[in-house]
Amino acid sequence: MNTAEATTPPPVCRAGEGAMSIRKVGKIYDPEGVHVVALNDCSLEIAAGEFVAIVGPSGCGKSTLLNTIAGFDGLTSGEILLDGEPLATVDKDPRPGPDRVVVFQHGALFPWKTVLQNVTYGPVVQGAMSEEDANKRAQEMLSRVGLNDIETAYPGQLSSGMQRRVEIIRALINNPKVLLLDEPFRAMDTVTKSASHQYLLELYDATGKTIFFITHDLEEAIFLADKVLVMTTRPGYIKKTLQVNLPRPRQYSMLASEEFLAMKAQLVEAVHEEAVKAFEAGEREMA
Ligand code: ADP
């Protein structure tokens, strides 16, 4: 074995990790004051390595659910388990951790650091990798998503699609158990969005990470996920589970298949029903 092989960092994939049980979760914001019941009796199971998409009307509690998993917000009732261990309970203070990394719609790259510095910052600062190993891993991952020539560029020099790819690589280099994505491609034009889907799927196929993906785009949800969950209008819980049995790797031609269109019709109906309820209940913003 040569030196380069000996210093190669461990593979990103850790098969079999990242299973989540979300059990009867409730979240009330400001129980003594405005008393917004965002989640009520919300339960779902996510298998290790499963790609799950969550859809539902605006304000139904999607981000709240993500924030409770991420450890940004506490629970009012219920519990969340990660690989069988309690992650969030009513008695536990919420705590983010390197096993759950979030990528948001609006980027959070350090503008004063280069792409390579942004990606390697976490593992190097945490002492998880030497700078040399982190650079090597980052270069491998960046080239996997077509970004091999931009290591010395600054975020401000990149398109939004490229920035989001860098952020996803930055999340994955920390080898989380779960990748949490909150509408990461929402503001993108159609072409950039399709390219972003392709890169995300490639990373998913390569790493087998559990992915929890919030979106209001029903086609995107079906095209990417193994399972699409529809949330009710607030207080949110899972109203419908759609198993997506399209084979992987996913191809764009699948979007026109009868199977795809039938799944989309089911989701449109389920989400529309909830959007109407939300409107009637006075929620102004719709999915
Ligand atoms: P979604 O992501 O589905 O659009 P959210 O999870 O952001 O929905 O919000 C669910 C509900 O909780 C909304 O009615 C929202 O106004 C309310 N909410 C979210 N965060 C807070 C907060 N910090 N304080 C009070 N209410 C909140």
Side-chain angles (χ1 to χ4, degrees), residues 29-30 34 36 38 56-65 214 234 283:
Y29 287 106
D30 191 12
V34 287
V36 177
S58 274
C60 74
K62 301 181 292 296
S63 297
T64 300
L65 183 58
I214 293 180
R234 187 169 67 80
E283 305 266 357

Side-chain angles (χ1 to χ4, degrees), residues 3 6 9 23 39 52 55 65 175 191 234 236 280-281 284-285:
T3 322
R23 296 184 180 161
L39 298 173
V52 170
V55 298
L65 183 58
N175 203 13
V191 174
R234 187 169 67 80
E280 284 169 0
R284 289 282 163 247
E285 208 189 340

Side-chain angles (χ1 to χ4, degrees), residues 127-149:
M129 280 187 202
S130 69
E131 199 172 330
E132 194 189 345
D133 284 352
N135 283 344
K136 193 167 174 196
R137 167 61 71 201
Q139 279 155 351
E140 273 170 28
M141 294 177 83
L142 287 166
S143 67
R144 196 180 269 278
V145 293
L147 296 177
N148 30 348
D149 295 327

